Amino acid sequence: LSRRQRQMCIRDRLEGERMGAWGYGVFDDDTAYDALEDLKASSRIAADLERYFDEAIQAEYVGYEEGQYALVSAAVIDSVINDIPYRCDEKEYFEWTKTLKNLDFTSLRQKAVKAIDAVISDNSELKELWEENKQLYNSWREDKIAIQKRLL
């Protein structure tokens, strides 16, 4: 999809025209579930999480998918470290995050925080799209800042 097509699609989602239950949570997006599936299939989870963070951190402009992948990665670490029960339609999500408890994600916490900074910055497609929704933008942004605070 072109950037304009994604904007229209997201705008429709946020306004509830296509998806009635769409919201501001990390997992309220199809791309978030793509990211989750990619992470669940990964044989190198820590390396993939770091790659998704680095892509957002190093981007001059954080694209839609890069932003979603970074946010899902941060949410996964948040779930593992802080036992945060994200609203997620993927029934096995919580069981899967429990299997990651033996991994040490300490070194990735700061990268997760920086990646979220990139996603909520002025150089982010996700931020641009969410800003268009005057009703939910602040909730979306505060949700991401809450993840950052828990990971600090």
Side-chain angles (χ1 to χ4, degrees), residues 133-150:
N133 185 301
K134 306 264 186 262
Q135 185 179 11
L136 293 176
Y137 170 70
N138 285 333
S139 296
W140 174 82
R141 189 174 188 284
E142 290 304 315
D143 182 64
K144 306 324 168 246
I145 290 170
I147 298 169
Q148 284 183 308
K149 288 178 181 177
R150 287 190 299 268

Side-chain angles (χ1 to χ4, degrees), residues 56 62 66-67 70-71 114-121 124 126-127 140:
V62 181
E66 291 84 6
L71 292 176
K114 287 180 181 179
I116 293 171
D117 276 338
V119 172
I120 63 176
S121 78
S124 166
L126 272 173
K127 182 192 181 220
W140 174 82

Side-chain angles (χ1 to χ4, degrees), residues 69-132:
Y69 271 68
L71 292 176
V72 168
S73 297
V76 167
I77 290 176
D78 193 23
S79 289
V80 172
I81 293 174
N82 298 313
D83 294 316
I84 299 302
Y86 282 91
R87 185 180 71 229
C88 180
D89 292 338
E90 177 66 40
K91 291 178 183 170
E92 292 113 26
Y93 174 76
F94 302 107
E95 293 304 315
W96 175 70
T97 58
K98 288 178 189 175
T99 70
L100 303 177
K101 291 273 188 193
N102 62 327
L103 301 175
D104 183 9
F105 293 125
T106 306
S107 65
L108 295 178
R109 289 171 87 148
Q110 194 58 39
K111 282 195 176 194
V113 169
K114 287 180 181 179
I116 293 171
D117 276 338
V119 172
I120 63 176
S121 78
D122 289 335
N123 296 320
S124 166
E125 187 174 7
L126 272 173
K127 182 192 181 220
E128 285 179 15
L129 294 169
W130 275 99
E131 277 182 319
E132 292 177 12

Side-chain angles (χ1 to χ4, degrees), residues 4 28 30 39 41-42 47 59 76 111 119 141:
R4 182 72 186 140
D28 290 341
D30 287 335
L39 286 170
S42 174
V76 167
K111 282 195 176 194
V119 172
R141 189 174 188 284

